[in-house]
Amino acid sequence: MSRNDPYPSVDAVVERYHADAAYLVQMLREIQETRGWIAPPVVTELARTLGLSRARVEGVAAFYSFLHLRPVGAYRVLFSDNVTDRMQGSEALLAYLSEKLWVEKGKLSEDGLLSIDTTSCTGLCDQGPGLLVNGRAIPRASRERLDVIAALILDRQPLDQWPAELFAVEDNIRRADLLLGNRLAPGEAIRAAILRGRGGQTEAAANERSWREANPAAALGPAATLEEIKRANLRGRGGAGFGTGVKWEACRNAPGEMHCVVCNADEGEPGTFKDRVLLNRHADLVCEGMTVCAYVIGGGGATRGFIYLRGEYRHLLEPLEAVLARRRAAGLLGRDICGEPGFDFDIEIHVGAGAYVCGEESALIESLEGKRGIPRSRPPYPVTHGYLGQPTVVNNVETFCAAALVAVHGGEWYRAVGTAKSAGTKLLSVSGDCERPGIYEYPFGVTVRQVLEDCGAGVGKRATQAVQVSGPSGTLIDASEFDRRIAFEDLPSAGAFMVFDETRDMFDVARNFVHFFAHESCGFCTPCRVGTAMMRNMVDKIHGGRGTQRDIDEMCQLSKAMHMAAHCGLGHTACNPMQDVMKRFRPAIQRRLRRLEFAPAFDLDAALAVGRRMTGRDDAGAHLETEA
Amino acid sequence: MAEGRIRVATASLAGCFGCHMSLLDIDERLFELLEKIEFDRTPLTDIKHCGPCDIGIIEGGCCNAENVEVLREFRRNCKILVALGACAVTGGLPAQRNHLDLGACLSEVYLTEPGLVNGQIPNDPELPLPLDQVHPLHEVVKVDYFVPGCPPSADAIWKILADLVAGRTPRLGHGQIQYD
Amino acid sequence: MNESDLPSFLLDGEEIPFTPGQTVIQAALTAGHYIPHLCYHPEFVPHGSCKVCTVKANGRPAAACTLPAQAGLAVESDTDELNDLRRTLVQMLFAEGNHFCPSCEKSGNCMLQALGYDLGVMTAGFRHFFPDRPVDASHPDILLDFNRCIFCKLCVRASEEVDGKGVFSLTGRGIMRHLIVSAESGRLADTDIALTDKALEVCPVGVILRKHVGFAVPIGRRRYDERPISAQALDDAPRMMEPKHG
């Protein structure tokens, strides 16, 4: 690097991470935070100091949407492009700002000052449209607020001098139940777990012994808390609903040099924002759950903890670091936690860089290891071969919170809430056409109709026509299904609950989701890489008024291939939105078809435009009729 | 259909006539074939426009306005449309220009190429206007059957024709399907 | 070990013995049963990205190359449903890249092409993407034609694991996925690739080509002119297999 380089040296960043290549994504992110982008010599230097091939480092950097290998503007404005943002007018606002600042969407302004583009859902659906400016979240975009932002940009005001009010993100908790209403003190769940391990003996009595050589007469130790987690019938809140107790037990039983606890805070499913609120409001509870997990699975060996925080939630990094520091000072993280000799555990935060696929647990682990976020082939599963090949539990933010509650109150208490197959409560991120968007916590088994009533959907003349439960990879239901229940046995949900009133075009909704999947496919496997892009082209063809029945047939053929052969859940579910619309709102597609049999995907006459311009011709032979 | 014979039309669009040459390579089997078929528009008959036909066979992809007109005429008139050869099936060699900007291309060839004096882009209305990209046939009209190959072998063409004439779904076995 | 002592699974109703640690495709090929595949290479740890080898194991779809063989597993492979799927996948690959076989030196020795022949693929069917992927002709002896890349990662792995160089890497996401080389200039000439590298041998399609070779073998005598890929793959399969690299 040149000696005139005004930025912290690459070496300094590498050194801070002990030249451990597993931190590559973090190093790239930090370097970019000071320099704006990652220049080719920086890539070369990083590769050299880490002993990696240059192509490997470049390959990682170019995988993540928020890492830039080309010069970018001093200000990078990204408009969240979830369907709920669009419903709140994001497209018109993007056009407004582009016009105001004389810049074309997706391009760098001529003076190199700024760029404006779209990004996948930023998790501000209840207070959208959402923006990211240089990675910092700004809710409630409006013409007035964009005027302020435009002036700040033109004044070249550094972001840390922008009015704090711009960045104020609300929690919007509308209904609290046992999780959001908890009053646990920091450390309470950990102490409860330790105490339960001693068979309820007082702390003083058992203080002599290490927790991992618990008194054989009590014969409990960490297994006692594991039993409670299993008794609670706690299931993962990330969507798949795998039994948390079974997962912890498998990890606990797996041999390894260390055991890892990973909190999946890569909340990328469009329409989901409950983890943002949990991390903002209940960060201690999240850490409690992770620490209890470490206690249960640690088996007396080394443990490590990670929170994988999605890049869009970068604004939560400093507050979370402060929580971790406070917990360390209070003896709730670090060595001999809660005075238990040998109970060592700490938590590091990894910030993602814009890749939805990293929400898949094995892709998340790859990213934690400083690689591209590509889902692994399974088996083996992370519980036996996870982070750096070690046994690893990956759980959702909400799952860890629930686990902390179970550690304190016990499994029976927890399972008494909810339904027989779905114990406890579920946080829903409600957005879309309703009066009171925000976070709603309900016991499992709540009907869709109840949620709609509570959030003020369908008030006035506009009836609710559909709800997208659990985001684009979930299920779209219509009004005939509003008595269905949010529960693993009926409508499982990772938390998204997007409401659409009767004025919304459900084809447009699905098209937004199809674009999302095409943008977020990691590209590893053929069916998803090519299939999502083909689906995108087909819905655009239909949207452009050129669709035919044949396109619908081709989409079905693609859906089948993707569903059967894709490598991970992203590819399996990428066709759900179109399939759901075909099933429940078929006329929304059919009425857009040009004709039944065949139509080209493009305008043939328009394909002659360049030829006409270059030759100056406009005679009859220089045109092609559009066939009726 | 005169005398109950199957009416067949053929044309070469953005192709090299190699596929038609290969068609002629079916040699003496042509006589057998001619007992069952009769030709409408083909380069062999000099009929200018395709009338109602049973089978249309097209060589070459679509690279200009005239190609599109001919292809549409075939699609309107032929009950069965066959894409014959690599260019018809994939766009082929001509489609290798697809990543180039047509405007820049015409400009370089006719206007800015060193050594050109008073360059001009040909603009005679008699000349078909180029499309911005070359397309395989199935991107412009519905195509019923495809025969890859550059050119497809005479045996492959014979097999497809024999199947179509006999009313069988055309199929090629190993050694008959080739992409080059 | 005697074959009869080995555990076994069923492939299309036939018993396939396996040594623990083998995947379904490894055991099947060893036993002389072909399962169509593209990114799998007997000398490398299976990658599982092309998905052409998808089978149904106890009714559930899975890639045979990465699916561990298990005693008692009932695997279906040669069914209409699975061969339809494979055809669709091969069509998707042909539509994704720029595969102009007549002008490709690898023609006749290309696995993608041979697989298309075997599966009876007559057309890509879908609309072609016609991506813009400039070739890299910077190296005096080696040409890179990215138009044909199918992202099997074999060159990446061969260069890393066998050649110890890391000349190649895959990057980008979704349909923008692409192959890059390890040089600040982005040019192959500025890497330490050598003609003797394993990475040159493993490309199943026509991305990595030796210059000054051209169309060396006449049509009719090339690898897949003589025998279909299904027969060839069985010839290539080691009878008792241990992955060598990775």
Side-chain angles (χ1 to χ4, degrees), chain B residues 83 86-100 133-136 138-139 145-151 160 170-180, chain C residues 90 94 98-103 107-108 112-133 147 219 222 224-229:
Chain B
C87 298
V89 174
T90 71
L93 248 57
Q96 294 198 42
R97 78 156 157 96
N98 280 358
H99 65 278
L100 300 173
Q133 288 202 320
V134 178
H135 295 278
H138 72 272
E139 294 185 6
Y145 300 106
F146 299 83
V147 191
C150 183
I160 294 286
R171 277 187 217 290
L172 296 179
H174 184 77
Q176 288 180 319
I177 305 178
Q178 58 182 86
Y179 302 158
D180 60 0
Chain C
V90 168
F94 270 107
N98 295 313
H99 298 277
F100 298 114
C101 297
S103 58
S107 193
L112 179 64
Q113 188 188 56
L115 204 55
Y117 295 169
D118 237 33
L119 292 166
V121 174
M122 307 291 272
T123 168
F126 299 104
R127 189 181 171 202
H128 289 252
F129 284 83
F130 294 122
D132 181 11
R133 298 187 191 158
N147 289 293
I219 289 178
R222 300 165 307 180
Y224 300 115
D225 290 335
E226 297 183 334
R227 315 186 58 196
I229 192 170

Side-chain angles (χ1 to χ4, degrees), chain A residues 44 55 59 62 65 354 521 523 529, chain C residues 49 51 96 171 173-174 177 182 184:
Chain A
T44 307
S65 293
S521 166
R529 181 182 69 244
Chain C
S49 63
K51 302 297 177 192
E96 179 188 24
T171 188
R173 232 167 49 195
R177 191 166 166 84
S182 206
E184 213 169 285

